[in-house]
Every structure is written in C-alpha cells, then in structure tokens.
Amino acid sequence: MGEVKVLGSWSSPYGLRVQWALGLKSVEYEYINEDLLNKSEMLLKYNPVHKKIPVLVHNGKAIAESAVILEYIEETWPQQHPLLPKDPYERAMVRFWINFLDNKDKVAPFITFFTGVGEEHKKAVKEAKELLKLYEEQVLGEKKYFGGEEIGMLDLAMGWMAYFGVIEEIVDVKILDAETFPRLHAWIQNFRAHPVIKNNLPDHDRLLQNYTEKRQRFLAYSPHTENA
Amino acid sequence: MAEEVVLLDFWPSPFGMRSRIALAEKGIKYEYKEEDLRNKSALLLQMNPVHKKIPVLIHNGKPVCESLIQVQYIDEVWHDKAPLLPSDPYQKATARFWADYVDKKIYDLGSRVWKTKGEEQATAKKEFIESLKLIEKEIGDKPYFGGESLGYVDVAFIPFYSWFYAYEKCGNFSIEAECPKLIAWAKRCMQKESVAKSLPDQQKVYDFILQMKKHFGIE
C-alpha cells in the first residue's frame, strides 16, 4: 500500500513508537537512522519546521511529531491491530495520557535522573517516583496493557519504560523496582515479550556503552561532583 | 437520552475559547461555568484532579481535559454537523501538526512577549513574529486553514487573535504590519457567529493582561 519510510534514531523512544506501530500492523517500511549531531538533507527537507525525528514518509508525503504520526498510522491502516479504542470518550482518555506523559515537565524528572547529581538528582528521583505511582495506579490499574488486553497507542508511548533499566544500571539507582511498582514491572515483561517489541529494542550493550559515556560527561562537567 | 454538556472555563483563556467555538459550530447547547482561578471550585478539582486547569468539558458527567483533545472529542461525538477535522488521513495529520505548533510555539512565545521586557522581550517578539509568519503560509489561497470552512487549525488558533492587541501594546509592534494575510484570515473568522460569540473583546483582554503584569510585578 505504498512506500513507507521512517526517519528515526536508534535509541529514541519517540522513533521507536512509530516503528512499533508499523510493526504491529505488519506494514513494511524502510528505516533510516539519523545522526542527530549531523542531520541529513532528507530530514531537513521532510521536517523543516522542527528538524526532529521521527518523521514518517508515506508515498513521498512527510508527517512529523510522533503523536501525530501514530494517529495517521491508525487511520491509514485501521484493520490490523487497532491502536485506539472505538469509543470517543476512551479515545480522549488515551490522548489525554499521551499528552500528559509527553509534556516536558513530566519528562524532565526522568532526564534529570540521568543527567543530574546531588540535590537536583534527589528531587528528580522523588518526582519520577510520584509519576510512576500515578501511571501504575491510575493509568494502568488492573489491566494487562495500557490498551487493555492488547498493546495500544498508550503502551507505545510508555515504551521508554521498557529499557529504562539500562539507565538505572548506569546511574546505579533503581526507581522502577518490582516491589514498589509490581504492575508496571509486569507490564514491562509483557511488553518486551511481544515479538514486534522484542525485535525493535535498542541493543542493550550499545545503550550501556553509549549512555555510560554520556553520564561520565555530565558528571565531569557538573559543579556538584566531588572530583570537579 | 438527554445530553448534558458543561464547560468549566475562564473568560480570557484561549484554550477555553477553542471548545466554545467547537460547541457553537456544532450547535450544541451547554452550560458555561466561569471559574475563579484563585479559588477553584470543588467541581473543577474533582473533574480535573491531575492538572486542576480549565477548560474542562463534562459530557454526561464524564470529564474531558485539554482543549485540543476536547475539540477532537466534540468532532467525533457530534460528527454529523460541521466537521472540523478533514476525513483524509494526510490532511488530518497536517491539521494536527499545525494545531500542535500553535500550542508549542505561538502560546509560549506570545506569553514571553507580555511577560518580559528589554532584551528578553526583543528576542521573544522576533521569535513570535517568525512563528506567526511560518503558520501564516499554511493558509495559502484558502479562506481558512481548513479550506472552504472553519477547521481544526482555525479553531485552535483564532482564540489567540483576541490576545493580539495585548501582545501589540505590550511589545510595541503591529502584527498586521508583519502578517497582513493572518489578520485578513482572523477578520474572516470573526465574521462567523461561533467565533465572534466565543472570543472576548481585545481591550478587555488587554486590561486583564495589565492586571496580571501588576500582579507579577512586571513593569
């Protein structure tokens, strides 16, 4: 049903959402990896406004912003593995939570968890745990997936949690532990086990190496570190 | 089944205006409840415990939060009249992209124009005008962003027109001089009853902004 290209970046959860959506719907696509420090002509052409990944190109027409792309994928390939419920109210709830978790204030604690030290880090841990509690109790609840019995759009948006363990390993602090968040923990196991997800996760060793280097740099430049 | 629709809102909120316009376009009768944001009602706190913000659309007792999500919800439930989103998936995606752009750029940059002064304000003005010029291009030769009739991007963006006078006075510049096509589009939208009845008077908004500036201690 036409030519599909995805411009992404190997470790970006926003790009992976798009790949997972296409995979679940059995839509073939060409994946193009972008070096975000050296953006390609193609990326700048297809997303001149934001110059970011992911971008979906379908029959030569480009769509940017992961949430917008997911809606497009759902509308274009509606039959296979629906990602949204049919009921308008339930759809509004899915959209609400995707919008919530993508908000920069809600992403920030998890980023600072990785980049920060000292007081800043402590504050980030506290905020991150509060958010995780919200997601576990109010959003996931008793369901197997955020989408219910099957993986839905919200599961894909929550997909960053599936490999957050590597970040915890590097920072040497565990926040998403099985004891405190048993349901999220179970969700991660189920999510990761799905063949489409399993085959499209960033390589563990590469993440470990790459992000360890990044973390060293943050520590080296931080004024709070003892050896600075 | 009798439909009960309530909108918890605050008169100068451009986000609230979006839902007002969408409901008006669809001819939906609803109860408008004005919130005092310094003294939020129990209903607001109950219906939007996560953000405690307006607007909140309550349909048969169930709350929908976030203005663009409300507009999509309204469009889906009352789908037989005045469609706001196009039916073509690619056009829909384009509409969603630009509505998101309004949220990400226009609102933030506009806020910086009235909240800051000096160098900071000069930068904010420049970026604000650039963002207006970029979105202005999307109108093309069409009367509205949505084509021949009011669409999703029109509904998302036109509320900010009621704040233009305030931005201009605070920043000492003319939006019409920079973006004449945008102002022509805005005036065209204002001809529609659904828009005219949903937007407050620009002078009133400016007076409100002056009060806010005093409150925040901005000169």
Short mmCIF file of all heavy atoms in Angstrom, two decimals, chain B residues 158-193:
data_model
loop_
_atom_site.label_atom_id
_atom_site.label_comp_id
_atom_site.label_asym_id
_atom_site.label_seq_id
_atom_site.Cartn_x
_atom_site.Cartn_y
_atom_site.Cartn_z
N ILE B 158 -7.51 30.72 16.21
CA ILE B 158 -8.23 32.01 16.25
C ILE B 158 -8.39 32.60 17.66
O ILE B 158 -8.36 33.82 17.81
CB ILE B 158 -9.59 31.96 15.48
CG1 ILE B 158 -10.16 33.38 15.29
CG2 ILE B 158 -10.60 31.09 16.18
CD1 ILE B 158 -9.29 34.31 14.47
N PRO B 159 -8.51 31.79 18.73
CA PRO B 159 -8.63 32.40 20.05
C PRO B 159 -7.48 33.37 20.37
O PRO B 159 -7.69 34.36 21.06
CB PRO B 159 -8.60 31.20 21.00
CG PRO B 159 -9.21 30.10 20.20
CD PRO B 159 -8.71 30.32 18.81
N PHE B 160 -6.30 33.09 19.86
CA PHE B 160 -5.15 33.95 20.16
C PHE B 160 -5.29 35.34 19.54
O PHE B 160 -4.65 36.28 19.99
CB PHE B 160 -3.84 33.27 19.74
CG PHE B 160 -3.55 32.06 20.58
CD1 PHE B 160 -4.00 30.81 20.21
CD2 PHE B 160 -2.86 32.20 21.78
CE1 PHE B 160 -3.78 29.70 21.02
CE2 PHE B 160 -2.63 31.10 22.60
CZ PHE B 160 -3.10 29.85 22.22
N TYR B 161 -6.16 35.46 18.55
CA TYR B 161 -6.44 36.76 17.94
C TYR B 161 -6.97 37.73 18.99
O TYR B 161 -6.67 38.91 18.96
CB TYR B 161 -7.42 36.60 16.78
CG TYR B 161 -7.81 37.91 16.11
CD1 TYR B 161 -6.85 38.68 15.45
CD2 TYR B 161 -9.12 38.37 16.14
CE1 TYR B 161 -7.19 39.88 14.84
CE2 TYR B 161 -9.47 39.56 15.54
CZ TYR B 161 -8.51 40.31 14.89
OH TYR B 161 -8.85 41.50 14.28
N SER B 162 -7.73 37.21 19.94
CA SER B 162 -8.28 38.09 20.99
C SER B 162 -7.18 38.63 21.90
O SER B 162 -7.39 39.57 22.65
CB SER B 162 -9.36 37.36 21.81
OG SER B 162 -8.79 36.32 22.57
N TRP B 163 -5.98 38.02 21.83
CA TRP B 163 -4.84 38.47 22.62
C TRP B 163 -3.88 39.34 21.81
O TRP B 163 -2.92 39.89 22.37
CB TRP B 163 -4.08 37.25 23.16
CG TRP B 163 -4.74 36.59 24.32
CD1 TRP B 163 -6.02 36.13 24.40
CD2 TRP B 163 -4.15 36.31 25.59
NE1 TRP B 163 -6.27 35.57 25.63
CE2 TRP B 163 -5.13 35.67 26.38
CE3 TRP B 163 -2.89 36.54 26.14
CZ2 TRP B 163 -4.88 35.25 27.69
CZ3 TRP B 163 -2.64 36.13 27.45
CH2 TRP B 163 -3.64 35.49 28.21
N PHE B 164 -4.11 39.47 20.51
CA PHE B 164 -3.16 40.19 19.66
C PHE B 164 -2.98 41.64 20.09
O PHE B 164 -1.86 42.16 20.14
CB PHE B 164 -3.61 40.13 18.18
CG PHE B 164 -3.20 38.88 17.46
CD1 PHE B 164 -2.66 37.79 18.14
CD2 PHE B 164 -3.34 38.78 16.08
CE1 PHE B 164 -2.29 36.62 17.47
CE2 PHE B 164 -2.97 37.62 15.39
CZ PHE B 164 -2.44 36.54 16.09
N TYR B 165 -4.07 42.32 20.40
CA TYR B 165 -3.98 43.72 20.81
C TYR B 165 -3.10 43.85 22.07
O TYR B 165 -2.25 44.73 22.16
CB TYR B 165 -5.38 44.29 21.06
CG TYR B 165 -5.39 45.72 21.50
CD1 TYR B 165 -5.01 46.74 20.63
CD2 TYR B 165 -5.79 46.07 22.80
CE1 TYR B 165 -5.02 48.07 21.04
CE2 TYR B 165 -5.80 47.40 23.20
CZ TYR B 165 -5.41 48.39 22.33
OH TYR B 165 -5.42 49.70 22.73
N ALA B 166 -3.28 42.92 23.01
CA ALA B 166 -2.48 42.92 24.23
C ALA B 166 -0.99 42.69 23.91
O ALA B 166 -0.12 43.39 24.42
CB ALA B 166 -2.97 41.84 25.19
N TYR B 167 -0.69 41.73 23.03
CA TYR B 167 0.70 41.47 22.63
C TYR B 167 1.29 42.72 21.99
O TYR B 167 2.43 43.12 22.28
CB TYR B 167 0.80 40.33 21.61
CG TYR B 167 0.39 38.95 22.09
CD1 TYR B 167 -0.25 38.07 21.22
CD2 TYR B 167 0.69 38.50 23.38
CE1 TYR B 167 -0.61 36.78 21.62
CE2 TYR B 167 0.32 37.21 23.79
CZ TYR B 167 -0.33 36.37 22.90
OH TYR B 167 -0.70 35.10 23.29
N GLU B 168 0.50 43.34 21.10
CA GLU B 168 0.98 44.52 20.35
C GLU B 168 1.28 45.68 21.29
O GLU B 168 2.31 46.36 21.16
CB GLU B 168 -0.05 44.94 19.31
CG GLU B 168 -0.14 43.98 18.13
CD GLU B 168 -1.28 44.33 17.18
OE1 GLU B 168 -2.34 44.78 17.67
OE2 GLU B 168 -1.11 44.12 15.96
N LYS B 169 0.38 45.92 22.24
CA LYS B 169 0.59 47.05 23.16
C LYS B 169 1.79 46.78 24.07
O LYS B 169 2.60 47.66 24.32
CB LYS B 169 -0.67 47.28 24.01
CG LYS B 169 -1.87 47.81 23.24
CD LYS B 169 -1.71 49.25 22.82
CE LYS B 169 -2.04 50.20 23.96
NZ LYS B 169 -2.06 51.60 23.50
N CYS B 170 1.86 45.55 24.56
CA CYS B 170 2.98 45.20 25.47
C CYS B 170 4.32 45.21 24.75
O CYS B 170 5.34 45.61 25.31
CB CYS B 170 2.77 43.83 26.10
SG CYS B 170 1.37 43.76 27.23
N GLY B 171 4.30 44.76 23.50
CA GLY B 171 5.55 44.64 22.77
C GLY B 171 5.84 45.81 21.85
O GLY B 171 6.90 45.89 21.25
N ASN B 172 4.88 46.70 21.74
CA ASN B 172 5.03 47.88 20.89
C ASN B 172 5.35 47.50 19.44
O ASN B 172 6.42 47.83 18.90
CB ASN B 172 6.11 48.82 21.46
CG ASN B 172 6.09 50.18 20.78
OD1 ASN B 172 5.04 50.63 20.30
ND2 ASN B 172 7.24 50.82 20.69
N PHE B 173 4.47 46.73 18.84
CA PHE B 173 4.63 46.36 17.43
C PHE B 173 3.27 46.10 16.83
O PHE B 173 2.26 46.07 17.54
CB PHE B 173 5.54 45.14 17.29
CG PHE B 173 4.97 43.84 17.83
CD1 PHE B 173 4.72 42.77 16.97
CD2 PHE B 173 4.72 43.67 19.18
CE1 PHE B 173 4.21 41.57 17.46
CE2 PHE B 173 4.22 42.47 19.68
CZ PHE B 173 3.97 41.42 18.81
N SER B 174 3.23 45.97 15.50
CA SER B 174 1.97 45.71 14.82
C SER B 174 2.02 44.36 14.14
O SER B 174 2.89 44.11 13.30
CB SER B 174 1.69 46.80 13.77
OG SER B 174 0.76 46.33 12.82
N ILE B 175 1.10 43.49 14.52
CA ILE B 175 1.08 42.16 13.91
C ILE B 175 0.60 42.27 12.47
O ILE B 175 1.10 41.58 11.58
CB ILE B 175 0.21 41.18 14.74
CG1 ILE B 175 0.86 40.95 16.11
CG2 ILE B 175 0.01 39.87 13.99
CD1 ILE B 175 0.05 40.11 17.07
N GLU B 176 -0.36 43.18 12.22
CA GLU B 176 -0.88 43.36 10.86
C GLU B 176 0.21 43.79 9.89
O GLU B 176 0.25 43.33 8.75
CB GLU B 176 -2.03 44.37 10.85
CG GLU B 176 -2.68 44.48 9.47
CD GLU B 176 -4.11 44.97 9.53
OE1 GLU B 176 -4.48 45.58 10.57
OE2 GLU B 176 -4.85 44.75 8.55
N ALA B 177 1.11 44.64 10.37
CA ALA B 177 2.20 45.10 9.51
C ALA B 177 3.10 43.94 9.10
O ALA B 177 3.60 43.88 7.99
CB ALA B 177 3.01 46.18 10.23
N GLU B 178 3.29 43.01 10.03
CA GLU B 178 4.17 41.87 9.76
C GLU B 178 3.43 40.75 9.02
O GLU B 178 4.01 40.07 8.18
CB GLU B 178 4.71 41.30 11.08
CG GLU B 178 5.49 42.29 11.92
CD GLU B 178 6.89 42.53 11.38
OE1 GLU B 178 7.33 41.77 10.49
OE2 GLU B 178 7.52 43.48 11.84
N CYS B 179 2.18 40.52 9.39
CA CYS B 179 1.42 39.38 8.84
C CYS B 179 0.04 39.81 8.39
O CYS B 179 -0.97 39.44 9.02
CB CYS B 179 1.28 38.29 9.91
SG CYS B 179 2.85 37.78 10.65
N PRO B 180 -0.05 40.55 7.30
CA PRO B 180 -1.35 41.04 6.84
C PRO B 180 -2.34 39.93 6.47
O PRO B 180 -3.54 40.03 6.73
CB PRO B 180 -1.00 41.88 5.60
CG PRO B 180 0.37 41.46 5.20
CD PRO B 180 1.05 40.97 6.42
N LYS B 181 -1.79 38.84 5.91
CA LYS B 181 -2.65 37.73 5.50
C LYS B 181 -3.29 37.06 6.71
O LYS B 181 -4.45 36.64 6.67
CB LYS B 181 -1.78 36.72 4.75
CG LYS B 181 -2.55 35.79 3.87
CD LYS B 181 -1.59 34.97 3.02
CE LYS B 181 -2.37 34.09 2.06
NZ LYS B 181 -1.48 33.34 1.19
N LEU B 182 -2.51 37.02 7.80
CA LEU B 182 -3.01 36.40 9.02
C LEU B 182 -4.17 37.21 9.59
O LEU B 182 -5.18 36.67 10.01
CB LEU B 182 -1.88 36.30 10.03
CG LEU B 182 -2.11 35.39 11.22
CD1 LEU B 182 -2.21 33.94 10.78
CD2 LEU B 182 -1.00 35.55 12.25
N ILE B 183 -4.02 38.52 9.58
CA ILE B 183 -5.07 39.40 10.10
C ILE B 183 -6.31 39.31 9.22
O ILE B 183 -7.44 39.29 9.71
CB ILE B 183 -4.56 40.85 10.25
CG1 ILE B 183 -3.39 40.90 11.24
CG2 ILE B 183 -5.68 41.78 10.69
CD1 ILE B 183 -3.68 40.37 12.64
N ALA B 184 -6.11 39.21 7.91
CA ALA B 184 -7.25 39.06 6.99
C ALA B 184 -7.99 37.77 7.32
O ALA B 184 -9.23 37.74 7.37
CB ALA B 184 -6.76 39.04 5.55
N TRP B 185 -7.24 36.70 7.59
CA TRP B 185 -7.83 35.42 7.96
C TRP B 185 -8.61 35.57 9.27
O TRP B 185 -9.76 35.11 9.38
CB TRP B 185 -6.74 34.36 8.11
CG TRP B 185 -7.16 33.18 8.96
CD1 TRP B 185 -7.94 32.13 8.58
CD2 TRP B 185 -6.87 32.98 10.34
NE1 TRP B 185 -8.13 31.27 9.64
CE2 TRP B 185 -7.48 31.76 10.73
CE3 TRP B 185 -6.13 33.70 11.30
CZ2 TRP B 185 -7.38 31.25 12.03
CZ3 TRP B 185 -6.04 33.20 12.59
CH2 TRP B 185 -6.66 31.99 12.95
N ALA B 186 -8.00 36.24 10.24
CA ALA B 186 -8.63 36.40 11.56
C ALA B 186 -9.95 37.16 11.44
O ALA B 186 -10.96 36.76 12.03
CB ALA B 186 -7.69 37.11 12.52
N LYS B 187 -9.94 38.21 10.66
CA LYS B 187 -11.16 39.02 10.50
C LYS B 187 -12.26 38.21 9.82
O LYS B 187 -13.44 38.33 10.15
CB LYS B 187 -10.86 40.30 9.73
CG LYS B 187 -10.05 41.28 10.55
CD LYS B 187 -9.78 42.60 9.86
CE LYS B 187 -9.10 43.56 10.85
NZ LYS B 187 -8.46 44.69 10.18
N ARG B 188 -11.83 37.36 8.88
CA ARG B 188 -12.77 36.48 8.20
C ARG B 188 -13.41 35.53 9.22
O ARG B 188 -14.61 35.30 9.21
CB ARG B 188 -12.01 35.68 7.14
CG ARG B 188 -12.84 35.16 5.98
CD ARG B 188 -11.94 34.51 4.93
NE ARG B 188 -11.05 35.47 4.31
CZ ARG B 188 -9.73 35.31 4.16
NH1 ARG B 188 -9.13 34.21 4.57
NH2 ARG B 188 -9.00 36.24 3.57
N CYS B 189 -12.60 34.98 10.12
CA CYS B 189 -13.12 34.06 11.15
C CYS B 189 -14.09 34.79 12.07
O CYS B 189 -15.12 34.22 12.45
CB CYS B 189 -11.97 33.51 12.00
SG CYS B 189 -10.94 32.31 11.17
N MET B 190 -13.76 36.03 12.39
CA MET B 190 -14.60 36.81 13.31
C MET B 190 -15.98 37.09 12.74
O MET B 190 -16.90 37.44 13.46
CB MET B 190 -13.91 38.14 13.68
CG MET B 190 -12.69 37.98 14.55
SD MET B 190 -13.02 37.26 16.17
CE MET B 190 -13.85 38.63 16.98
N GLN B 191 -16.13 36.95 11.42
CA GLN B 191 -17.44 37.11 10.78
C GLN B 191 -18.38 35.98 11.14
O GLN B 191 -19.59 36.09 10.99
CB GLN B 191 -17.28 37.08 9.24
CG GLN B 191 -16.32 38.08 8.68
CD GLN B 191 -17.03 39.34 8.27
OE1 GLN B 191 -18.18 39.30 7.86
NE2 GLN B 191 -16.37 40.47 8.40
N LYS B 192 -17.80 34.88 11.59
CA LYS B 192 -18.62 33.73 11.94
C LYS B 192 -19.14 33.91 13.36
O LYS B 192 -18.40 34.26 14.28
CB LYS B 192 -17.79 32.44 11.86
CG LYS B 192 -17.13 32.23 10.51
CD LYS B 192 -17.09 30.79 10.13
CE LYS B 192 -18.47 30.35 9.80
NZ LYS B 192 -18.60 29.04 9.23
N GLU B 193 -20.42 33.61 13.52
CA GLU B 193 -21.07 33.79 14.82
C GLU B 193 -20.40 32.93 15.90
O GLU B 193 -20.20 33.39 17.02
CB GLU B 193 -22.55 33.42 14.70
CG GLU B 193 -23.37 33.96 15.85
CD GLU B 193 -24.84 33.57 15.74
OE1 GLU B 193 -25.26 33.22 14.61
OE2 GLU B 193 -25.51 33.59 16.77
#
